[in-house]
Amino acid sequence: SPAGARAWAALCDAHGLRQPGTRTRGRLRWSRVYALQACVECSELGTVTINDPPNVLGFERGRFALCRPCLLRGRLWRARRRPEIANDAGKLAHLAFRVETVRRELGLEPIR
């Protein structure tokens, strides 16, 4: 509905979320913009977006978000249980690698 679209746009604006890409590729619904920025672990608004360029993990648009507390904990129980990741040791290792790479770039200690 138009009112719902305006509400999502206002919510995204309040959090500083913008449309990804360019106008020539089309625009996403504002509810999608917000969902793409939600932490894959706890669903809070993510503060770090992790790119997965080959999109091995199957996340929409080849990236996923984590909030700071989930990044600091580094456990990622929900992300590891995603059906496309859970039964594939290679994908589990890739997920751990992507998160550890970002942690290292941010100057955080490795997960033990």
Side-chain angles (χ1 to χ4, degrees):
S1 77
R6 285 192 302 273
W8 279 111
L11 181 63
C12 288
D13 187 51
H15 289 289
L17 304 178
R18 303 283 176 250
Q19 286 280 342
T22 63
R23 287 182 288 162
T24 57
R25 284 190 242 154
R27 297 174 61 86
L28 297 175
R29 291 185 322 230
W30 285 107
S31 60
R32 258 341 282 139
V33 171
Y34 189 85
L36 288 170
Q37 294 298 317
C39 175
V40 296
E41 196 60 22
C42 69
S43 300
E44 292 294 324
L45 195 61
T47 54
V48 176
T49 300
I50 300 176
N51 290 325
D52 181 27
N55 202 9
V56 170
L57 301 173
F59 287 103
E60 186 174 343
R61 301 179 74 80
R63 65 186 70 156
F64 59 99
L66 288 171
C67 66
R68 187 150 185 85
C70 289
L71 183 65
L72 291 174
R73 279 193 304 272
R75 301 213 193 285
L76 303 179
W77 297 115
R78 282 182 61 196
R80 291 175 189 264
R81 288 190 181 114
R82 289 174 59 105
E84 60 270 20
I85 297 173
N87 298 318
D88 188 326
K91 288 183 179 180
L92 287 168
H94 186 75
L95 175 65
F97 170 76
R98 297 302 306 148
V99 171
E100 281 297 329
T101 299
V102 170
R103 287 177 57 89
R104 186 175 55 248
E105 289 172 358
L106 294 174
L108 301 173
E109 294 290 321
I111 299 171
R112 291 175 183 29

